[in-house]
Amino acid sequence: MTDLIQLGKQAKATAYQLGLMDTKTKNELLLHMADELENNSEKILAENQKDLSNAKENNITDTMLDRLRLTKERIKDMADGIRQVATLPDPIGEVDKMWKNEDGLMIGKQRVPIGVIGIIYESRPNVTTDAASLCFKTGNAVILRGGKEAFYSNKILVAVLQQALKQKNSSPFAIQFVDDTSRETAQQLMKLNDYLDVLIPRGGANLIKTVLTTATVPVIETGTGNCHVYIDKDAQLEMATNIIVNAKCQRPSVCNSAETLLIHKEVATEFLPVIETALNEYNVELRADERASAIFKQSIPATEEDWATEFLDYILAVKVVDSLDEAIQHINQYNTKHSESIISDNYFATQQFLQQVDAAAVYANASTRFTDGFVFGFGAEIGISTQKLHARGPMGLTELTSTKYIVYGDGQYRK
């Protein structure tokens, strides 16, 4: 079993040094890490192949295999993501505001690293490099615990990043990897209060629920994505079709893909046949309510469970609603607070939707697939937070900081 106590001690000691590191040095190290990823592409691909072979033996779906698979192009994208992080402004040391109180004290609110961040995640190897680069830029040491599906990929990625740090005489303990995928080790990590300042789970509903119910370390919840697209009675047919096809089919295995289509009854008869034809090109299975089933040429009856399911596959639940109010009520009942979209040319309808839907990202006339730290201009993301404390939505550099108050006086004492 991995010695998590030792990892924790090493991370805590390194975090202090990282917090003092200047921006120029951090950026130079990040750029070197990116170069080393590309220089070691063949080694990384060889280890990734082990994960792919194991996954195929375990009959993992094609969409999940896509999440796992690395290519030279994807490794370059991962390296470019690190380079992008290096170009972003460093939030550490920023003073958000400063004011003078009645006692003449100058009080400032300054951004500082959180300290040591633990991340438990599943399947996608790019999470390893995204998380490592974001944590490093913000002066945080990170302990990464990936899933067994991507074990060999994650291990070699961390080894390459650590080697890059060593080559520049920097501590490799800034980025550490838990090379034990047992449940016991995961549970121990969730209770590593003496060393972890925060724990971030990134994966499916079961993983997140387990962390939330087990961890004694503070947790930032990055949620699953039961995302909806609502087609209003004042929507444009071509726009609606393009958006739902993109939201469902561009990459169905990710958390910002659409899982449920809601459509106003006044346009259902006209719109649904067109949308069905477009989705048929991707062999999307439609799970429809009674009214939608009567319009579709081919579908299966939707169950109550379908409304609450993150399929992560070419499956779409479809429901005809009587009004915008019903659509909003349905979304707020079944969604996971991730990303929701309305398609409508009615300004008042879009404003009602944007204000009343409870989610981290709410769209008018755009695909839910845009909920992404890179797309939002954050360079990368540590995850998409669906909770309301500390951070919400795509978590970039600023969300990986805390604050402290710095106070300047000239001899004041409180009477």
Side-chain angles (χ1 to χ4, degrees):
M1 181 179 290
T2 302
D3 187 350
L4 289 181
I5 301 298
Q6 183 62 25
L7 294 186
K9 289 179 178 178
Q10 292 167 172
K12 202 168 186 69
T14 303
Y16 178 76
Q17 297 301 323
L18 281 176
L20 302 176
M21 190 177 288
D22 63 86
T23 301
K24 181 174 182 291
T25 301
K26 288 189 288 188
N27 289 341
E28 288 174 350
L29 288 167
L30 284 167
L31 292 175
H32 184 59
M33 284 188 255
D35 290 343
E36 285 302 291
L37 277 183
E38 291 197 78
N39 291 339
N40 287 275
S41 290
E42 295 300 331
K43 290 182 181 178
I44 294 169
L45 291 175
E47 295 301 299
N48 180 246
Q49 190 57 50
K50 295 179 184 178
D51 289 325
L52 291 172
S53 297
N54 290 338
K56 290 174 183 176
E57 288 179 7
N58 292 320
N59 297 317
I60 288 182
T61 64
D62 289 342
T63 52
M64 297 307 288
L65 277 174
D66 179 60
R67 289 166 68 103
L68 181 58
R69 181 176 292 106
L70 291 179
T71 62
K72 281 195 173 182
E73 182 180 354
R74 288 187 178 183
I75 292 172
K76 184 182 186 305
D77 289 342
M78 291 158 66
D80 286 343
I82 295 178
R83 294 182 182 110
Q84 176 68 17
V85 170
T87 68
L88 297 173
D90 186 352
I92 300 303
E94 287 183 355
V95 177
D96 290 347
K97 56 184 176 179
M98 182 163 274
W99 66 96
K100 181 180 286 189
N101 75 348
E102 293 180 354
D103 299 301
L105 296 172
M106 289 298 298
I107 303 172
K109 189 176 183 181
Q110 187 180 57
R111 295 215 161 268
V112 297
I114 291 174
V116 180
I117 298 175
I119 304 177
I120 298 180
Y121 56 106
E122 296 173 334
S123 292
R124 295 168 66 185
N126 67 292
V127 174
T128 301
T129 55
D130 285 351
S133 60
L134 288 167
C135 288
F136 191 84
K137 177 82 176 211
T138 47
N140 296 295
V142 64
I143 298 176
L144 299 161
R145 195 273 188 186
K148 62 182 180 182
E149 299 87 357
F151 176 80
Y152 293 105
S153 304
N154 293 332
K155 188 173 183 179
I156 187 63
L157 287 169
V158 172
V160 169
L161 298 178
Q162 288 183 326
Q163 185 62 33
L165 290 172
K166 288 180 186 177
Q167 289 169 352
K168 297 295 183 179
N169 299 314
S170 188
S171 173
F173 302 137
I175 304 165
Q176 296 186 93
F177 177 66
V178 180
D179 60 358
D180 181 347
T181 59
S182 69
R183 181 174 298 179
E184 292 76 18
T185 300
Q187 291 179 339
Q188 185 184 358
L189 184 64
M190 296 177 205
K191 299 181 180 180
L192 208 64
N193 293 64
D194 289 341
Y195 303 103
L196 288 185
D197 292 289
V198 69
L199 184 62
I200 303 174
R202 182 168 171 174
N206 289 336
L207 170 67
I208 293 167
K209 181 179 180 180
T210 298
V211 173
L212 289 174
T213 56
T214 305
T216 55
V217 174
V219 174
I220 297 177
E221 180 182 356
T222 62
T224 53
N226 184 23
C227 305
H228 300 70
V229 175
Y230 165 61
I231 300 176
D232 188 46
K233 61 184 178 65
D234 296 313
Q236 297 178 37
L237 175 55
E238 184 177 0
M239 178 191 292
T241 304
N242 290 338
I243 287 176
I244 192 61
V245 169
N246 176 263
K248 177 70 268 181
C249 303
Q250 189 207 30
R251 200 170 181 190
S253 62
V254 294
C255 61
N256 57 20
S257 62
E259 305 292 13
T260 298
L261 167 63
L262 303 175
I263 186 165
H264 196 284
K265 65 179 182 180
E266 291 186 21
V267 293
T269 302
E270 177 187 0
F271 279 24
L272 286 182
V274 177
I275 292 171
E276 180 180 15
T277 298
L279 292 173
N280 277 343
E281 293 186 21
Y282 298 87
N283 296 315
V284 175
E285 178 183 295
L286 300 172
R287 300 186 181 181
D289 74 342
E290 193 171 322
R291 287 194 285 183
S293 293
I295 299 170
F296 286 137
K297 291 181 179 179
Q298 187 173 359
S299 64
I300 65 174
T303 66
E304 179 67 20
E305 183 180 359
D306 287 331
W307 305 128
T309 298
E310 182 187 29
F311 298 112
L312 299 175
D313 205 344
Y314 289 100
I315 301 171
L316 184 68
V318 184
K319 181 180 178 66
V320 177
V321 295
D322 291 332
S323 65
L324 170 62
D325 288 337
E326 184 183 347
I328 292 172
Q329 181 181 10
H330 179 97
I331 291 170
N332 286 340
Q333 178 178 350
Y334 292 102
N335 79 344
T336 52
K337 319 299 183 190
H338 194 293
S339 302
E340 312 295 346
S341 180
I342 180 175
I343 317 303
S344 179
D345 283 343
N346 186 314
Y347 171 81
F348 297 102
T350 59
Q351 289 306 301
Q352 181 182 344
F353 189 91
L354 294 174
Q355 296 304 315
Q356 294 182 9
V357 167
D358 184 12
V362 190
Y363 295 85
N365 298 319
S367 170
T368 57
R369 284 284 291 114
F370 288 107
T371 306
D372 179 273
F374 185 83
V375 174
F376 278 26
F378 302 157
E381 68 181 26
I382 206 79
I384 297 172
S385 172
T386 54
Q387 64 183 38
K388 297 182 181 180
L389 294 178
H390 177 72
R392 198 177 196 198
M395 294 176 59
L397 295 175
T398 302
E399 287 73 28
L400 292 178
T401 66
S402 184
T403 58
K404 68 179 178 183
Y405 290 94
I406 53 175
V407 185
Y408 296 92
D410 55 5
Q412 290 94 329
Y413 58 90
R414 189 167 180 175
K415 298 178 182 178

